């Protein structure tokens, strides 16, 4: 019943059976267990089936542009670091048009969580090959087998500098919920690749395919956490090896977690400015530059059209 707290009134229009439902459920449960304040939690998305997330969750939301969720989220977080910022994007969105931003977020270690819905295709635009679809595969909407090599999202996140890197599976939402909770409480850039069956356009990476192959890293005693700085390379290399392991099994769970890297917000505060934009005073030497009423008028007239009653 508590889950309804985060459920919006908007009809969820994904195809029946889509893996995105499992991600949405895991998210509701994670938010509920972390008891996140809706007004201080923001979901930022790009465009795609995955991009509809802000509509379905009753927290603050931004539906941005294809591939541009990360820069939008970066601006939001740096303007007001106390917000919990979560990005949802497809594999096409984050690793195709958005790949430069994806790498930059890892290098900066901004305290943001990225959840990538990986279905191997561009779902919303009817199933073209995405950057995670291996060369030679032919899903049902492709005319011929895919010509391009695929990217490994976990390996890319690790070498880009993300300090929390994990994989979940949409059809195991209890496990995914735990991964999401861990990512949100982690201080730094957190990345979760979610294996997400697209029942309409991807007839290869189906729930039947994944259900036989996934296994949990924690069940084989995997310890993802960097305990001290001397361990960073060793942990990074072993996580990378695990991510690139050629095997018939697919590991899910937390690959890597490093709490010892300073976050970008702290670096800014120490070296550049004391207060983030949302906390900057609008007066100099106690002289008010613009009062609240003038500001609202300016905002209404020039920045955004506000419907007047
Ligand atoms: C700049 C720009 N290019 C292309 C598009 C068209 N477009 C909309 S969604 C999409 C891809 C969606 O695929 P993905 O990001 O993998 O998300 P999914 O729908 O699979 O969740 C594309 C190419 C767009 N909206 N904007
Ligand atoms: S097209 Fe695929 S990803 Fe999009 S809603 Fe349908 S099943 Fe889900």
């Amino acid at each position: 019943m508590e889950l309804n707290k985060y459920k919006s009134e908007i009809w969820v229009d994904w195809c029946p059976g889509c893996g995105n439902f499992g991600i949405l459920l895991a998210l509701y449960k994670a938010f509920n267990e972390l008891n996140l304040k809706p007004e201080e939690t923001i979901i930022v998305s790009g465009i795609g089936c995955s991009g509809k997330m802000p509509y379905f969750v009753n927290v603050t939301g931004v539906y941005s542009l294809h591939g541009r969720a990360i820069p939008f989220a970066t601006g939001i977080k740096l303007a007001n670091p106390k917000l919990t910022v979560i990005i949802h994007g497809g594999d096409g969105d984050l690793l195709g048009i958005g790949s430069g931003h994806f790498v930059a977020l890892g290098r900066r270690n901004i305290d943001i969580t990225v959840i990538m819905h990986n279905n191997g295709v561009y779902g919303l635009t009817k199933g073209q090959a995405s950057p995670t679809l291996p060369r030679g595969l032919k899903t049902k909407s492709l005319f011929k087998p895919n010509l391009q090599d695929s990217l490994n999202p976990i390996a890319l996140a690790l070498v880009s500098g993300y300090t929390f890197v994990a994989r979940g599976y949409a059809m195991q939402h209890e496990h995914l919920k735990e991964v999401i909770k861990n990512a949100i409480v982690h201080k730094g850039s957190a990345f979760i690749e979610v294996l997400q069956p697209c029942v309409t356009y991807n007839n290869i990476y189906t729930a039947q395919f994944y259900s036989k192959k996934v296994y949990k890293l924690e069940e084989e005693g995997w310890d993802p956490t960097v305990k001290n700085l001397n361990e960073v390379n060793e942990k990074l290399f072993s996580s990378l090896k695990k991510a690139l392991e050629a095997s018939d099994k697919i590991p899910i769970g937390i690959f890597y977690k490093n709490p010892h890297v300073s976050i970008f917000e702290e670096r800014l505060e120490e070296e550049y400015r004391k207060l983030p934009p949302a906390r900057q005073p609008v007066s100099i030497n106690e002289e008010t530059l613009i009062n609240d009423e003038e500001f609202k008028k300016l905002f209404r007239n020039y920045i955004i059209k506000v419907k007047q009653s």
Side-chain angles (χ1 to χ4, degrees):
M1 200 174 74
E2 265 296 291
L3 294 180
N4 287 339
K5 192 164 128 194
Y6 296 100
K7 195 173 174 309
S8 80
E9 295 300 304
I10 295 171
W11 177 57
V12 182
D13 63 350
W14 290 318
C15 311
C18 174
N20 282 340
F21 286 99
I23 304 177
L24 183 61
L25 183 58
L27 201 70
Y28 287 149
K29 289 189 166 188
F31 281 12
N32 190 52
E33 288 179 23
L34 293 175
N35 200 18
L36 297 182
K37 289 187 184 156
E39 66 282 12
E40 289 183 3
T41 307
I42 301 206
I43 294 182
V44 185
S45 77
I47 307 291
C49 297
S50 45
K52 297 177 183 179
M53 267 299 185
Y55 286 106
F56 307 145
V57 190
N58 212 359
V59 296
T60 312
V62 179
Y63 188 33
S64 71
L65 304 172
H66 188 47
R68 307 291 174 235
I70 290 177
F72 268 81
T74 299
I76 291 165
K77 185 68 183 178
L78 298 187
N80 191 352
K82 85 170 187 192
L83 302 174
T84 301
V85 181
I86 296 150
I87 293 172
H88 279 269
D91 42 321
D93 186 290
L94 290 164
L95 298 183
I97 190 170
S99 52
H101 302 303
F102 182 84
V103 171
L105 179 57
R107 291 175 53 218
R108 292 182 177 137
N109 200 31
I110 301 174
D111 188 15
I112 285 175
T113 299
V114 180
I115 302 180
M116 191 184 90
H117 301 215
N118 184 2
N119 53 23
V121 293
Y122 284 15
L124 193 78
T125 49
K126 304 201 182 307
Q128 299 89 343
S130 82
T132 58
L133 192 75
R135 173 152 50 111
L137 277 201
K138 190 189 148 341
T139 52
K140 66 183 183 189
S141 57
L142 294 182
F143 174 58
K144 290 200 170 189
N146 183 24
L147 282 174
Q148 301 187 76
D149 285 314
S150 60
L151 273 172
N152 180 317
I154 298 285
L156 185 63
L158 286 167
V159 298
S160 299
Y162 283 79
T163 50
F164 179 104
V165 179
R167 182 187 283 137
Y169 173 40
M171 307 323 238
Q172 290 189 15
H173 64 263
E174 276 297 321
H175 178 264
L176 179 58
K177 172 203 76 182
E178 287 304 320
V179 173
I180 293 176
K181 277 168 62 188
N182 274 282
I184 292 175
V185 298
H186 173 76
K187 207 171 160 197
S189 296
F191 171 67
I192 308 171
E193 172 195 8
V194 187
L195 307 171
Q196 177 244 319
C198 166
V199 290
T200 305
Y201 296 112
N202 194 332
N203 56 327
I204 295 176
Y205 295 150
T206 59
Q208 291 79 354
F209 172 91
Y210 282 131
S211 296
K212 280 193 223 117
K213 291 186 187 293
V214 293
Y215 74 94
K216 299 188 179 84
L217 280 169
E218 54 274 27
E219 280 172 3
E220 66 165 32
W222 185 263
D223 176 8
T225 311
V226 174
K227 309 275 184 319
N228 59 63
L229 285 171
N230 299 333
E231 252 185 31
V232 173
N233 280 351
E234 183 195 320
K235 286 272 176 190
L236 205 52
F237 290 149
S238 53
S239 305
L240 203 50
K241 212 167 141 196
K242 179 56 87 182
L244 296 170
E245 197 171 74
S247 141
D248 202 34
K249 294 278 173 205
I250 305 172
I252 56 173
I254 304 168
F255 281 70
Y256 179 78
K257 185 160 85 170
N258 183 355
H260 305 288
V261 182
S262 65
I263 57 168
F264 196 70
E265 299 88 308
E266 288 164 350
R267 298 177 212 170
L268 267 182
E269 204 176 285
E270 278 161 23
E271 294 177 25
Y272 191 67
R273 61 178 188 219
K274 284 283 154 240
L275 291 172
R279 288 173 53 215
Q280 295 283 348
V282 280
S283 60
I284 292 178
N285 298 333
E286 293 183 21
E287 190 189 323
T288 305
L289 298 179
I290 181 165
N291 69 34
D292 274 3
E293 270 320 301
E294 284 167 10
F295 181 74
K296 279 184 197 155
K297 211 167 119 195
L298 195 70
F299 193 74
R300 256 187 241 124
N301 293 349
Y302 296 105
I303 302 177
I304 195 165
K305 286 282 169 228
V306 179
K307 201 171 166 221
Q308 308 287 328
S309 53

